[in-house]
Amino acid sequence: MAFIKRFIMYWTQTLTIIITIIGSMVAVWYAFYCIIKEDIKRHDIEFQEVRNEFKEMRQEFSKVHTLWATVLEKIYKIEQQIYEIKLDQSRKA
């Protein structure tokens, strides 16, 4: 009977130690998970901000590109009109 009591007592102590170690490991892993989760959330927010800035820059570039295209088109039309005027003057002469 003493053997069974001692076995149960040792077994209970061993089980308590194992459960304590496992519980501590779970707590540490959960803490890492929370830290990583917040880090990922912060990274996603920063990435979204950079993405929005890139969209704004692309829109600005598009506006500038459109303005330059309009200016070049007007210059081309003016040069074409000048060429036509010179061509008419050379025919008259």
Side-chain angles (χ1 to χ4, degrees):
M1 202 55 148
F3 174 74
I4 294 175
K5 281 185 177 181
R6 222 179 308 146
F7 176 75
I8 291 175
M9 187 175 71
Y10 289 138
W11 183 79
T12 307
Q13 288 175 350
T14 305
L15 184 63
T16 304
I17 291 170
I18 291 172
I19 290 173
T20 303
I21 291 171
I22 291 173
S24 300
M25 288 173 54
V26 167
V28 168
W29 282 110
Y30 184 73
F32 283 144
Y33 168 76
C34 289
I35 291 169
I36 291 171
K37 182 179 170 184
E38 289 299 317
D39 190 44
I40 290 172
K41 202 181 289 184
R42 189 179 74 239
H43 176 71
D44 286 344
I45 291 170
E46 290 174 0
F47 182 73
Q48 190 66 29
E49 289 172 357
V50 169
R51 192 180 213 178
N52 290 338
E53 288 176 12
F54 180 73
K55 282 182 182 179
E56 290 172 5
M57 287 173 40
R58 192 171 68 194
Q59 289 172 349
E60 286 296 319
F61 177 76
S62 178
K63 289 177 186 176
V64 170
H65 181 73
T66 304
L67 287 172
W68 273 109
T70 306
V71 167
L72 290 175
E73 186 177 341
K74 288 181 180 180
I75 290 172
Y76 174 75
K77 286 181 181 179
I78 290 171
E79 287 179 348
Q80 194 174 21
Q81 289 173 355
I82 291 172
Y83 177 74
E84 288 175 3
I85 291 171
K86 286 183 179 180
L87 188 64
D88 285 343
Q89 286 176 353
S90 68
R91 286 184 186 164
K92 290 180 183 177

